[in-house]
C-alpha cells in the first residue's frame, strides 16, 4: 500500500513511511535537521579568541589551542564548524573549461579568414 502511495505521489517509500508513522503531519518536517557539534561546547572560547585577534587567528592556531585544552579532534571538523557557525562562505571552485567551451571561445576570439569563392 505504501509503495503504491509513494508511486502515486512521486515520493520515496521512506518518505511515505515517515509520514505514516507520525501522529501528526507537522511532526515530519521537510529539510535537514541541524545536529549539534562537539565543538559547540567550545563556542564561547572560540568566539572570544576570534574577537581578541579581530579574526586574525588561523584555524590551525585555534586547533592547537583546543588540543592544549584537551580537545581531541580533527582540523577538518574545526574547519567545517567554522564555516557553519561563523558564516564563512565556502569557496566555489572555478569551472574548468571543457573542450567544447574552449573551442567555441577560441573560434569567437579568432574567427576564420574569409574564404574566396571561386566561380
Amino acid at each position: 500500500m505504501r509503495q503504491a502511495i509513494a508511486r502515486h505521489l512521486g515520493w520515496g517509500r521512506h518518505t511515505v513511511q515517515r509520514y505514516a508513522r507520525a501522529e501528526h503531519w507537522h511532526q515530519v518536517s521537510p529539510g535537514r535537521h541541524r545536529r549539534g557539534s562537539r565543538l559547540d561546547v567550545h563556542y564561547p572560547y572560540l568566539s572570544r579568541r576570534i574577537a581578541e585577534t579581530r579574526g586574525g587567528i588561523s584555524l590551525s592556531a585555534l586547533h592547537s589551542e583546543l588540543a592544549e585544552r584537551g580537545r581531541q579532534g580533527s582540523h577538518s571538523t574545526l574547519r567545517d564548524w567554522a564555516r557553519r557557525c561563523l558564516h564563512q562562505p565556502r569557496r566555489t571552485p572555478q569551472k574548468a573549461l571543457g573542450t567544447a567551451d574552449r573551442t567555441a571561445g577560441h573560434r569567437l576570439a579568432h574567427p576564420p579568414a574569409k574564404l574566396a569563392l571561386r566561380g
Side-chain angles (χ1 to χ4, degrees):
M1 180 68 167
R2 289 182 185 159
Q3 219 169 13
I5 294 170
R7 217 178 0 252
H8 177 73
L9 294 173
W11 291 359
R13 63 184 175 89
H14 292 291
T15 304
V16 172
Q17 190 174 25
R18 272 199 326 268
Y19 276 93
R21 288 182 178 166
E23 283 186 42
H24 303 284
W25 67 270
H26 61 273
Q27 290 175 336
V28 183
S29 65
R32 294 184 171 179
H33 300 283
R34 186 187 179 285
R35 294 185 308 199
S37 169
R38 291 181 182 177
L39 285 169
D40 287 344
V41 297
H42 298 284
Y43 183 77
Y45 173 77
L46 291 169
S47 49
R48 182 172 49 84
R49 288 294 293 134
I50 291 167
E52 288 173 356
T53 60
R54 295 182 183 166
I57 191 166
S58 69
L59 288 178
S60 297
L62 284 174
H63 184 260
S64 298
E65 290 179 16
L66 288 175
E68 290 172 7
R69 294 173 57 95
R71 186 208 173 258
Q72 296 176 354
S74 68
H75 185 275
S76 60
T77 303
L78 180 62
R79 181 196 63 221
D80 295 343
W81 177 86
R83 280 184 183 150
R84 187 178 62 251
C85 294
L86 302 178
H87 307 292
Q88 294 178 348
R90 179 176 259 177
R91 283 192 230 158
T92 56
Q94 293 290 333
K95 179 188 170 208
L97 292 177
T99 316
D101 293 334
R102 267 188 262 141
T103 304
H106 180 76
R107 286 187 180 162
L108 289 172
H110 308 288
K114 290 186 178 182
L115 298 175
L117 296 175
R118 294 184 190 178

